[in-house]
Amino acid sequence: MHRNAEEIRRQVAIAEEQTFLDTALTRRDRVAANLAERAEQAATDDDGDLTRRRMLQRQYEEIRQTESGFVFGRLDGLDGTVRHIGRVGLRDEDVQADPLVVDWRAPAARPFYTATAIDPQGQARRRHVRTSGAVVTGVDDEPLDGTAASDLVGEGALLSALDQRRTGRMATAISTLQHEQDDIIRADATGPLIVQGGPGTGKTVVALHRVAYLLFTHGQMAEQAVLVLGPSPRFLDYIAQVLPALGETAVVSATCDTLVPGATVERAEDRRISEIKGRALWQPALEAYVRALLPPVRDLGLRWEGEAYVLDAQAVADALASATAGRSYHRARQAFAEHLHQLLADAVAEQREALLQQMEEGFEDILARFDRRAEPQATATGSDVDGLMSDEEIEELRERIAGSATIARFVETWWPTRDPEAMLRRLLGDRALLRRFAPALSAEEVTLVSATAALPWASSDIPLFDAVVDLLGDRPAAAPHGASVAERARKDRAWVYGHVVIDEAQELSDMQWHMVLRRCPSRSITAVGDIDQTEASHRHTSWTQAVQATLGERWTAAELTICYRTPREVMELTGPVLAKAGSLNTPPRAVRSTGITPWKLTVTPGELLDTATATVESLRQRWVGGTVGVVASAAYAEELAAVLDDVPVLTATQAKGLEWDATLVVDPDGITAEPRGWNGLYIALTRCTQELGRLQVAPQGPEHIEVRADVPWAVRT
């Protein structure tokens, strides 16, 4: 009887939400059609406002992306008010009425993520609404009057979402965001925010939803665009659907390797050399190197229309000081050329005036008699009267000088244009220059760096190249007319972004951090990562070390403490691994259990490929509709990838940030033997949402085999 009553209440609630969803979808479609019509009309207006057209198009795209999960929540206030929460805000046809749907980013929606039984924030109940397209499939009600106690917001909806099969693409999580995640998403964007979070804490979810929140809250960011930096192209592909699904298009996604137009990484590099090139010392070294390229102060001799002119060293020094103040090499060169044109024009005028004065002193009588006999003429000005050039004539002369090919060749010879790649390779390949501009490098380090100067670019070269391009000031490529903000930003190396989000930020070297700051001088930055998952070649083992050289003390720390993705059974394995990695952090607390104990199988190298193939096939059958991933040591990754062509086979570094329903870790001992190997094993173990298996490789044969009844390939005769 009780069960029937509960089922009736559930069906009534579903019907209630279905009625509301039907109304909301009808209204949404009308609004979308209106926006499309207005955007099309604005595009045909000859005198139309480009900003307005883009705004209308953006609003239309935002609504168009809401086919799934348009309405996902509801708040019932203690005062009887009802608010439905959705992916975008939607006004009622009666503009005086409350919004039909409240945007999840709006302040009015925040209690949906933060209200608890202890602090209900004026709410009596929170309801999670599950939908499939235009159909309501279920509801989860959460009383906020103290009758239900949990430290998770919408525990039923959250655990249901976490238990769903993985598709290989990250989905939005706006319906299941938790309190500590929401706090970070809505934090002020006035300076760098560094978020520490262990595996499964939702770092990436937080970072991407923060982008959507900031673009919604700070409209000017949409005109500046937001840069999202990820660790790899595979990772960017994994998250590619999240921001468009949230209606955000003013976003440029890149890795540090792809951030500079025209620069391509073509080779891997030794970890030691990579660490050397990533150090903060290169920024002042490159600045000093480019300053040394400036021409020396001296007298400059030029010719104009057959006459010789000398610009004295003091005038040249003053022009140099004015031109170089706060400018890059090439912009300073342009500014100096303009000074030079004016100095030469003034010199020509002064020399002409001096010659005329000399002539007048010798021929005063002749000129006087000539003037008395001359007939009155029309009024004349400037040099026609007294030989002195007027301001207009001097300006005309300056313009002719500026257009002179001869003067341009002189400037090019004295202050040549520079190619950034050639300049960087010259520095890296010249040991004397390295000792001069980077004295902190040891003799051995100088030798190691100089040996790479003529090689194709490695990842560690890109930040150095970016710094030289910035210091020289090369002109960016022009984006096509009418291009979106994101397209223009992507093509312009010097674009200044409104905000930068960095995922897996613990991997960035000091010089990569400088790349970020050049693109966001306001330091409006959100960086998320796990310092315990660091695999980069640099020596940073804490966030303070990681950002000290670039951010100093001017950053705010935040932490995600709850692991939602990785099962409790797996997280229990990570304590000893973290200890051997030298971690000083407390691992996140896992809130879910799958009941599946991580298992291990030991094989010989000769058995590995066949066993891995059988194991993966069994995992795929057990997790039909989900995903299986293999994380292997570098020693076996390539040959495993050759036989397991239907599942991803990655090293621990490549697997960073990814997740699968089931993960098979191959050769965990081999992973720990790699540089920062215990950190790598920590990554490998924590990629699964359901099941973890390990294949140990024992060259002398297995001494002990763990057998599970549901893992038939582990049984041996």
Side-chain angles (χ1 to χ4, degrees):
M1 193 69 178
H2 175 70
R3 182 177 301 173
N4 289 339
E6 284 296 321
E7 178 61 21
I8 291 172
R9 278 194 290 270
R10 189 180 73 84
Q11 292 298 332
V12 169
I14 290 175
E16 181 182 18
E17 297 306 330
Q18 184 67 62
T19 299
F20 177 82
L21 182 60
D22 292 342
T23 301
L25 290 176
T26 299
R27 174 63 179 156
R28 182 202 65 179
D29 293 344
R30 289 176 183 167
V31 170
N34 178 261
L35 285 170
E37 182 179 348
R38 291 166 60 194
E40 183 177 354
Q41 179 60 44
T44 60
D45 289 344
D46 294 335
D47 58 347
D49 183 348
L50 180 60
T51 301
R52 179 172 174 272
R53 292 205 303 269
R54 286 175 175 162
M55 179 192 70
L56 290 170
Q57 187 64 33
R58 183 171 180 270
Q59 290 175 342
Y60 171 72
E61 292 294 335
E62 187 175 41
I63 283 190
R64 194 178 64 85
Q65 294 283 354
T66 61
E67 292 300 323
S68 175
F70 177 58
V71 176
F72 58 79
R74 168 174 156 171
L75 285 171
D76 292 4
L78 292 168
D79 59 1
T81 59
V82 174
R83 293 189 182 94
H84 279 85
I85 315 300
R87 297 165 82 88
V88 297
L90 187 65
R91 288 201 168 275
D92 196 288
E93 292 187 21
D94 178 4
V95 295
Q96 301 299 321
D98 290 336
L100 189 65
V101 179
V102 176
D103 192 298
W104 70 273
R105 297 161 288 191
R110 191 167 194 196
F112 185 78
Y113 302 106
T114 59
T116 65
I118 297 175
D119 179 23
Q121 301 175 24
Q123 309 303 314
R125 182 180 66 180
R126 172 172 38 231
R127 170 176 287 177
H128 283 78
V129 181
R130 299 194 300 278
T131 60
S132 176
V135 178
V136 176
T137 59
V139 297
D140 291 298
D141 283 338
E142 184 181 3
L144 298 172
D145 56 5
T147 58
S150 173
D151 59 354
L152 300 178
V153 172
E155 181 175 13
L158 172 65
L159 296 181
S160 175
L162 292 172
D163 283 337
Q164 291 178 2
R165 296 289 190 266
R166 267 40 191 177
T167 64
R169 292 289 184 94
M170 177 174 280
T172 66
I174 50 177
S175 63
T176 56
L177 292 172
Q178 298 298 295
H179 195 321
E180 68 175 13
Q181 296 174 325
D182 187 74
D183 284 344
I184 294 171
I185 288 170
R186 298 175 193 263
D188 290 339
T190 54
L193 177 66
I194 311 295
V195 182
Q196 163 64 27
T201 55
K203 299 182 295 295
T204 301
V205 164
V206 166
L208 297 179
H209 287 69
R210 179 160 168 77
V211 171
Y213 171 77
L214 291 175
L215 287 170
F216 173 82
T217 308
H218 304 284
Q220 74 279 8
M221 281 189 186
E223 292 303 314
Q224 296 175 277
V226 172
L227 172 64
V228 175
L229 280 179
S232 67
R234 182 185 289 270
F235 175 83
L236 293 179
D237 183 59
Y238 173 60
I239 67 172
Q241 302 303 312
V242 177
L243 286 169
L246 293 172
E248 301 303 345
T249 58
V251 178
V252 173
S253 297
T255 68
C256 286
D257 287 353
T258 63
L259 192 53
V260 183
T264 304
V265 174
E266 299 181 20
R267 68 180 177 90
E269 189 163 62
D270 177 81
R271 286 178 63 87
R272 187 176 180 199
I273 300 175
S274 175
E275 185 275 323
I276 295 169
K277 289 183 179 178
R279 295 177 192 171
L281 65 87
W282 288 98
Q283 186 62 33
L286 292 171
E287 291 171 0
Y289 172 56
V290 172
R291 279 198 305 272
L293 299 176
L294 295 174
V297 173
R298 61 176 175 84
D299 291 345
L300 294 182
L302 300 97
R303 297 191 67 83
W304 177 252
E305 295 183 341
E307 297 292 333
Y309 299 91
V310 176
L311 307 182
D312 67 81
Q314 185 57 55
V316 172
D318 293 342
L320 269 171
S322 176
T324 56
R327 292 187 177 94
S328 64
Y329 176 92
H330 287 127
R331 290 193 62 188
R333 178 183 181 278
Q334 180 181 354
F336 178 82
E338 293 172 0
H339 283 292
L340 181 72
H341 300 154
Q342 187 64 56
L343 288 172
L344 180 56
D346 291 341
V348 171
E350 290 171 3
Q351 184 161 308
R352 179 172 180 173
E353 180 182 354
L355 288 173
L356 287 171
Q357 287 178 348
Q358 293 174 6
M359 291 174 62
E360 287 178 358
E361 291 174 358
F363 298 99
E364 287 181 353
D365 293 340
I366 297 173
L367 288 172
R369 288 194 298 271
F370 176 81
D371 287 342
R372 283 195 298 270
R373 289 198 301 268
E375 295 295 329
Q377 299 293 322
T379 302
T381 61
S383 58
D384 292 336
V385 175
D386 55 11
L388 300 181
M389 296 181 69
S390 67
D391 291 343
E392 291 80 5
E393 289 172 321
I394 294 175
E395 175 59 23
E396 181 183 350
L397 173 61
R398 189 201 62 76
E399 290 178 357
R400 287 195 293 120
I401 291 172
S404 167
T406 301
I407 299 300
R409 284 194 296 271
F410 173 85
V411 173
E412 178 62 32
T413 300
W414 187 64
W415 192 329
T417 54
R418 306 283 187 177
D419 176 69
E421 180 174 347
M423 289 299 97
L424 178 57
R425 291 191 184 280
R426 173 174 173 255
L427 172 65
L428 296 180
D430 190 321
R431 298 185 187 185
L433 288 177
L434 286 173
R435 287 192 293 270
R436 174 184 171 189
F437 294 108
L441 295 178
S442 68
E444 181 187 9
E445 290 169 341
V446 166
T447 299
L448 289 172
V449 169
S450 63
T452 69
L455 299 176
W457 290 137
S459 180
S460 59
D461 292 313
I462 302 301
L464 303 182
F465 177 68
D466 184 63
V468 174
V469 171
D470 181 69
L471 292 165
L472 290 178
D474 273 17
R475 300 179 65 84
H481 178 70
S484 68
V485 172
E487 290 171 327
R488 287 182 286 136
R490 190 175 290 109
K491 287 183 174 293
D492 187 349
R493 194 215 62 83
W495 188 272
V496 174
Y497 289 91
H499 193 80
V500 177
V501 168
I502 311 168
D503 205 318
E504 303 294 347
Q506 75 278 357
E507 303 299 334
L508 267 61
S509 68
D510 291 336
M511 288 305 295
Q512 287 172 328
W513 271 104
H514 276 294
M515 290 178 72
V516 172
L517 291 181
R518 277 191 284 275
R519 287 157 177 80
C520 191
S522 68
R523 299 192 170 201
S524 182
I525 299 167
T526 301
V528 302
D530 181 6
I531 205 71
D532 292 325
Q533 294 186 53
T534 304
E535 285 198 301
S537 59
H538 58 65
R539 300 166 182 170
H540 308 146
T541 57
S542 70
W543 283 112
T544 298
Q545 292 176 345
V547 301
Q548 183 72 36
T550 49
L551 303 183
E553 304 296 328
R554 297 168 54 194
W555 55 282
T556 302
E559 187 173 8
L560 295 167
T561 63
I562 301 174
C563 174
Y564 307 100
R565 178 192 69 209
T566 312
R568 189 178 297 118
E569 293 86 351
V570 173
M571 288 305 296
E572 288 173 352
L573 299 176
T574 62
V577 175
L578 283 176
K580 291 182 179 180
S583 171
L584 301 176
N585 297 310
T586 301
R589 175 173 62 89
V591 296
R592 57 189 285 268
S593 172
T594 60
I596 302 175
T597 302
W599 50 268
K600 180 169 60 176
L601 175 64
T602 304
V603 298
T604 65
E607 299 167 320
L608 176 60
L609 296 183
D610 288 342
T611 304
T613 301
T615 303
V616 166
E617 181 57 32
S618 183
L619 288 172
R620 291 181 65 190
Q621 292 177 9
R622 190 152 58 253
W623 299 103
V624 172
T627 57
V628 176
V630 176
V631 184
S633 67
Y636 293 109
E638 187 173 346
E639 58 181 318
L640 283 167
V643 298
L644 300 173
D645 57 357
D646 51 356
V647 297
V649 179
L650 308 172
T651 64
T653 299
Q654 295 167 336
K656 192 184 302 294
L658 305 179
E659 62 179 31
W660 303 280
D661 292 275
T663 302
L664 180 65
V665 178
V666 178
D667 190 23
D669 290 342
I671 293 175
T672 63
E674 296 168 0
R676 290 210 175 187
W678 290 103
N679 301 85
L681 183 59
Y682 182 51
I683 295 168
L685 295 177
T686 54
R687 297 304 94 199
C688 73
T689 65
Q690 304 291 343
E691 181 176 354
L692 171 68
R694 290 161 290 170
L695 289 186
Q696 296 276 23
V697 182
Q700 303 305 319
E703 297 178 359
H704 174 68
I705 299 177
E706 298 183 29
V707 180
R708 283 184 48 202
D710 59 343
V711 188
W713 61 86
V715 179
R716 292 173 181 268
T717 59

